[in-house]
Amino acid sequence: MALINSLVSWFTLKRQHQIELFLKYPCEVQQEWFDALISKGRDTEWGEKYDYRSIENYTTYRDRVPVNTYEDLKPYIDRMATGEQNVLWPTQIKWFSKSSGTTSSKSKIIPVSQEALEECHYNGGKDMLTIFLQMYPDSNIFQGRQLAMGGSHHITEINNETILVGDVSAILIHHLPAWAELFRVPGQEIALMDEWEEKIEKMAQTTINHNVVSLSGVPSWMLLLLNRILEVTGKSNIKEVWPDLSVFFHGGVNFAPYEKQFKAIIPGEMTYIETYNA
């Protein structure tokens, strides 16, 4: 654990310096990302439609590319879901996150590229950890396990291409590096189950004997699991099950409606950190 703490401390110190630069030079950072995205997408069908090659600044982009709704983009996304490539993004799209929406569709499927996984979601997680450790440098977060609760996913094959569709949390868990599995519970075979009630039961039964020090997931889902754990163990609160539990990284829905319920079943010191990877 000492080696892990040293490595993490080195990484977070380096990342904290980068975060400080983002805060100090926000306009320059945004311009760099704008230039990179325009360059990356210029040879896609979408980029050629709006002549990304000749776009040099935000004003030109704003005047040329209209605001599009999900319904406007849906025909492109549907084609990507059948295996077509280089439509909206130049690299291969094999994963689609499922998100409930307010459009006429019952649910949206959002293309997820390898770049989105690495540069948005995983970097978002790393930044969350960096900020947390800056706030709480003496944290015990590497002295136990992280209970990560995600959604489900299913794999289909279209035109000899493997396509994965599911909640974005499930896609992230599916692609976690092998070393991350050393700290996380439960295993993927349970974490990615489709049958919700069976999943809750197995998660409760397989995590109660681990030293869980952190939680991550959607508050509404996590609350169901924690209440089931109390039923299984007969304990009056979660700290009696996991005395070293210290932080809940949450996102996906507004935490306010659930805050009192969490504080009722997790007494004492507990940190709540909301994440929004954008």
Side-chain angles (χ1 to χ4, degrees):
M1 288 298 180
L3 176 60
I4 292 171
N5 285 334
S6 296
L7 290 173
V8 171
S9 297
W10 174 82
F11 168 81
T12 55
L13 186 64
K14 182 179 179 182
R15 189 60 183 170
Q16 181 64 30
H17 177 64
Q18 293 173 316
I19 292 172
E20 289 170 357
L21 287 177
F22 299 158
L23 293 171
K24 189 175 181 179
Y25 303 105
C27 295
E28 290 83 353
V29 170
Q30 288 294 304
Q31 185 63 49
E32 285 181 11
W33 273 108
F34 175 83
D35 294 341
L37 290 170
I38 292 296
S39 176
K40 192 86 171 178
R42 65 188 182 185
D43 293 326
T44 62
E45 180 179 322
W46 185 264
E48 290 179 350
K49 178 180 179 179
Y50 293 107
D51 191 16
Y52 273 24
R53 283 185 174 274
S54 68
I55 294 178
E56 296 183 352
N57 54 61
Y58 166 71
T59 302
T60 304
Y61 176 86
R62 180 195 61 196
D63 294 341
R64 184 179 302 172
V65 183
V67 173
N68 287 269
T69 66
Y70 179 80
E71 294 303 316
D72 295 328
L73 294 170
K74 189 175 183 298
Y76 296 92
I77 296 173
D78 288 344
R79 287 167 52 201
M80 296 167 74
T82 62
E84 282 194 55
Q85 301 295 331
N86 207 42
V87 179
L88 296 176
W89 190 248
T91 60
Q92 191 171 23
I93 303 295
K94 289 187 174 183
W95 313 299
F96 294 82
S97 66
K98 203 170 185 179
S99 172
S100 59
T102 55
T103 63
S104 59
S105 299
K106 291 183 179 179
S107 63
K108 307 171 186 175
I109 58 168
I110 313 298
V112 179
S113 66
Q114 185 65 37
E115 291 87 351
L117 285 175
E118 294 176 359
E119 295 170 5
C120 177
H121 295 291
Y122 290 143
N123 270 354
K126 293 171 185 175
D127 287 352
M128 177 180 65
L129 181 61
T130 296
I131 292 169
F132 172 73
L133 291 175
Q134 287 293 316
M135 294 167 59
Y136 304 98
D138 297 325
S139 169
N140 66 346
I141 198 168
F142 297 107
Q143 304 302 316
R145 298 295 188 96
Q146 177 198 42
L147 194 162
M149 187 169 192
S152 61
H153 75 320
H154 64 272
I155 298 173
T156 59
E157 190 169 291
I158 302 173
N159 298 332
N160 296 319
E161 293 286 346
T162 299
I163 301 295
L164 188 149
V165 180
D167 297 298
V168 68
S169 57
I171 294 175
L172 293 175
I173 291 174
H174 180 87
H175 290 90
L176 282 175
W179 62 264
E181 293 296 304
L182 299 174
F183 298 95
R184 192 182 61 78
V185 289
Q188 287 197 16
E189 69 281 358
I190 295 176
L192 299 177
M193 288 177 65
D194 290 325
E195 174 49 49
W196 184 250
E197 291 186 4
E198 184 182 3
K199 177 177 180 173
I200 290 285
E201 188 63 29
K202 287 195 173 183
M203 287 189 73
Q205 296 288 349
T206 58
T207 58
I208 55 178
N209 294 320
H210 288 283
N211 178 30
V212 173
V213 296
S214 69
L215 308 173
S216 64
V218 176
S220 53
W221 297 353
M222 185 62 71
L223 197 59
L224 288 172
L225 174 61
L226 296 182
N227 281 319
R228 180 55 187 155
I229 286 172
L230 291 180
E231 292 173 358
V232 169
T233 61
K235 303 294 186 181
S236 60
N237 65 70
I238 292 298
K239 283 295 184 79
E240 291 181 2
V241 183
W242 300 315
D244 294 328
L245 180 65
S246 62
V247 60
F248 177 29
F249 300 106
H250 59 86
V253 299
N254 181 14
F255 185 63
Y258 305 97
E259 186 174 0
K260 287 185 179 180
Q261 297 176 73
F262 273 94
K263 290 185 176 180
I265 64 173
I266 309 178
E269 292 187 13
M270 184 70 178
T271 301
Y272 297 89
I273 295 185
E274 185 168 18
T275 176
Y276 183 78
N277 297 345

